[in-house]
Amino acid sequence: MAVVLGELLVRWVLIWQTTPVVAVLCPPVFAVLGAAAAVSPAREALGDAAFSQLPPYRGRLPSLIALSVIGHVLALLGGLVLFFLVDTPVRFMLYALARGDLISAGVVAVGPLIEIAIGTLLVWVIPGIAVIRCVEGESLTVALRNALAVLFDTPRTVVVGMGFNGYLALVGGLLLVVFFQTNSNPVFGNLRYHYRIQSLFLTVLLGGVAVVVLGLGLAVSVSYFVSQVPPRPSPTPLPSTGRLLIAGVVVLSLAAGAGAIRASETRPLGTGTTPLPDDADRMYAAAVSNTFAGGYEHRAVTIEDGAGSNRLWQVDRRNRQVRYTWWEEGESRPTGVTDGSVSYATMGLYAPGSESPFRLGSWTVMEVREADIAPGYAAVDDERLSLANRRLAPIDAEGWTVIDRSAETVMLEIDLQRHLLRETYGYTDHDLQPVETGDGRTFVIVGSETGATVHVQETTVRVVVDRETGELRSGTQTVDVRIEHDAGETSTARTERHRRVVSHSFQTETDVTRPADLGPVRPGEWVWRLLAY
């Protein structure tokens, strides 16, 4: 139990003070020393009297510590190879099935680390056998050699051992999921006053469960290996050098191929379009899906109360590059750029990698802004790039009607009164009380100090759909309201008129390139390009 507690505490401190990456890279010294201490009792339980009283650390402590480091390096390499060989085809298949949406920002950032950690734990079976050999008197190199021989002589032992380690990974992962899900539960989240006490209680409770369950699992795993590995065998011959070389070349070639696919951003992209249904609501949804399925350029020009502003979204899905440019009339054009390995904003619009424990460094660009080495493309805030934020109708909006149809296009229109009042001015259903004698377009603002009435003139969205491509060509969102304020003690009655028109244009396929200000691709970026596929 003390071994598991030590490992958990060390890794928790490393995550807290550094990054989760360091916690995975840290060798399991406590686990190795604990396993070494369990060898003699396990031999005694099996009746091996000659080896039952072996002092686990006498003269072997340096070798065991070295074995924990060397074994962890080898296990990390094996875990990385397993990650490439398993994760790459799975994600490739998801892209081929047009389900890349399942690969969320959290999966991109956390997934590789968890998968590599699990793979490392599975591969640790072989160095774990070497720990038993080392305790029983073999040198470090001989122990590693004989442990590798077990893989070829009795592969079933290694497979079952991987099952034990998989159990440890599964239990640890489930406990982490339960902890984070419970801490983010809205029922608990509402108890703000007791939040820290609740979090501390859950940490202690689940930590205690983890220590007990993982400790028992580690003890069973060590006992199994001791029972399967005979004490101090004569050196076991390894397969011929040629067979080992061929096996190594095949595995490394497959891993290198998977790495090349990831680094080059090679993935299948859906080219087919959803046919346009006759129903207007479904037609709009299909047009939106077709437009944003691949690379696209979306420009929105806003004229509000006489002032103008521009927004330009460019999304290159093939290379996973996003460029977002915005500017007011007569102003400069600050830009935010992000891809699979770096995030950069010329005026701090967003930097998804900042404050992230998964960023692998940062540097200053143009002496004023910071670029973060992090998987920015996946971490771009979905709400920032949502249709509502872009002043277009949501994809699931209902109530569309066809107001014009030609051989080339279809024009759709919808009245989104409540939605647009909320998105434009922040008025919710609780803020606006309909006037009973009105036509459903006149509201009293609830909570107004002097009393105010909103008269809705227009809240419509129109879009033009290309019948051949099934994509959006253009769109217009219009919000026109008149607000009448009653006279108060310190104010006079007044009327405000607000009108905003957002004109949209769409173009599919765009090529977003890396800004020259970022300079050459840095080593940390290549790491994320390999991981964030």
Side-chain angles (χ1 to χ4, degrees):
M1 303 301 176
V3 172
V4 175
L5 181 61
E7 288 290 346
L8 291 178
L9 287 177
V10 167
R11 294 177 201 288
W12 181 79
V13 170
L14 290 175
I15 292 174
W16 181 38
Q17 294 293 330
T18 57
T19 71
V21 177
V22 177
V24 174
L25 295 178
C26 178
V29 177
F30 284 104
V32 168
L33 296 180
V39 172
S40 291
R43 287 291 187 209
E44 184 176 3
L46 293 172
D48 294 332
F51 301 97
S52 61
Q53 300 300 322
L54 284 174
Y57 306 136
R58 180 179 298 176
R60 299 180 180 86
L61 187 60
S63 296
L64 289 172
I65 294 177
L67 182 57
S68 69
V69 176
I70 296 173
H72 197 57
V73 171
L74 296 175
L76 279 171
L77 293 176
L80 188 62
V81 169
L82 286 176
F83 168 72
F84 284 150
L85 295 181
V86 175
D87 183 84
T88 304
V90 170
R91 297 200 185 196
F92 193 92
M93 181 180 65
L94 289 176
Y95 287 122
L97 296 175
R99 293 313 310 268
D101 58 300
L102 297 177
I103 307 175
S104 63
V107 172
V108 169
V110 184
L113 197 62
I114 294 177
E115 294 176 56
I116 293 173
I118 293 174
T120 301
L121 190 58
L122 295 178
V123 178
W124 243 105
V125 168
I126 297 175
I129 297 174
V131 171
I132 300 174
R133 301 295 199 194
C134 189
V135 170
E136 295 178 347
E138 294 180 355
S139 66
L140 179 60
T141 55
V142 174
L144 285 171
R145 180 185 181 282
N146 284 338
L148 184 61
V150 173
L151 175 62
F152 297 96
D153 290 344
T154 56
R156 181 178 177 277
T157 300
V158 176
V159 172
V160 174
M162 287 184 173
F164 281 119
N165 284 6
Y167 156 79
L168 297 177
L170 178 62
V171 171
L174 287 177
L175 290 173
L176 283 176
V177 170
V178 170
F179 173 74
F180 286 114
Q181 287 294 325
T182 307
N183 271 276
S184 61
N185 189 293
V187 175
F188 288 100
N190 290 331
L191 304 176
R192 296 298 182 185
Y193 182 77
H194 302 287
Y195 181 78
R196 291 187 178 181
I197 297 177
Q198 166 229 322
S199 179
L200 178 61
F201 172 76
L202 287 173
T203 301
V204 174
L205 177 62
L206 294 178
V209 173
V211 169
V212 173
V213 176
L214 296 179
L216 290 175
L218 182 62
V220 172
S221 178
V222 172
S223 298
Y224 169 79
F225 278 117
V226 170
S227 67
Q228 296 297 311
V229 178
R232 287 186 186 174
S234 57
T236 306
L238 290 172
S240 64
T241 304
R243 290 174 58 189
L244 287 176
L245 184 61
I246 292 175
V249 169
V250 170
V251 172
L252 292 179
S253 297
L254 291 174
I261 290 175
R262 303 174 77 95
S264 61
E265 301 285 6
T266 302
R267 64 177 57 78
L269 295 176
T271 57
T273 59
T274 303
L276 293 178
D278 293 330
D279 178 75
D281 292 343
R282 295 170 57 203
M283 181 184 298
Y284 173 73
V288 170
S289 298
N290 292 337
T291 304
F292 296 141
Y296 64 89
E297 180 176 298
H298 177 191
R299 185 183 301 271
V301 179
T302 302
I303 304 297
E304 185 169 9
D305 299 334
S309 63
N310 298 265
R311 302 288 187 272
L312 177 62
W313 293 268
Q314 295 169 288
V315 178
D316 185 349
R317 296 200 187 281
R318 188 172 301 278
N319 296 316
R320 293 200 304 177
Q321 303 270 353
V322 176
R323 181 188 296 268
Y324 173 45
T325 309
W326 77 105
W327 67 97
E328 305 295 330
E329 293 295 338
E331 293 186 356
S332 60
R333 301 188 177 192
T335 300
V337 179
T338 182
D339 63 13
S341 61
V342 66
S343 306
Y344 167 60
T346 58
M347 289 189 66
L349 169 66
Y350 59 78
S354 60
E355 307 300 330
S356 169
F358 299 100
R359 71 173 182 174
L360 299 179
S362 62
W363 73 96
T364 302
V365 180
M366 299 176 63
E367 299 182 354
V368 291
R369 294 298 167 192
E370 188 176 74
D372 296 312
I373 300 177
Y377 176 86
V380 170
D381 185 5
D382 292 337
E383 184 61 29
R384 183 180 299 282
L385 297 181
S386 69
L387 293 177
N389 186 270
R390 299 187 188 196
R391 313 307 180 192
L392 197 64
I395 190 172
D396 57 353
E398 297 181 350
W400 289 94
T401 57
V402 178
I403 61 174
D404 186 54
R405 188 189 298 267
S406 68
E408 298 179 350
T409 62
V410 178
M411 180 178 289
L412 305 177
E413 183 180 75
I414 190 174
D415 190 331
L416 293 176
Q417 178 176 273
R418 291 302 180 102
H419 171 77
L420 294 183
L421 289 177
R422 180 178 66 251
E423 294 295 332
T424 307
Y425 303 110
Y427 292 141
T428 66
D429 292 343
H430 300 290
D431 299 324
L432 300 177
Q433 179 179 341
V435 176
E436 295 182 0
T437 58
D439 57 358
R441 305 188 71 82
T442 303
F443 304 87
V444 174
I445 301 178
V446 178
S448 174
E449 295 181 358
T450 60
T453 304
V454 177
H455 301 273
V456 179
Q457 309 296 317
E458 183 179 359
T459 49
T460 59
V461 177
R462 288 185 178 183
V463 296
V464 177
V465 180
D466 190 305
R467 301 184 68 174
E468 180 179 357
T469 63
E471 300 167 349
L472 296 172
R473 276 193 181 182
S474 61
T476 304
Q477 183 196 86
T478 304
V479 180
D480 192 343
V481 300
R482 187 178 78 253
I483 303 177
E484 296 179 352
H485 296 271
D486 299 335
E489 295 181 359
T490 59
S491 61
T492 59
R494 69 187 190 279
T495 300
E496 299 176 358
R497 181 72 179 270
H498 298 283
R499 179 178 175 83
R500 185 180 70 184
V501 178
V502 185
S503 301
H504 301 264
S505 60
F506 302 91
Q507 176 182 329
T508 55
E509 295 303 327
T510 185
D511 184 19
V512 179
T513 58
R514 179 185 176 90
D517 298 336
L518 293 178
V521 178
R522 302 185 177 224
E525 294 181 72
W526 282 114
V527 172
W528 267 122
R529 288 191 179 187
L530 287 171
L531 300 181
Y533 178 58

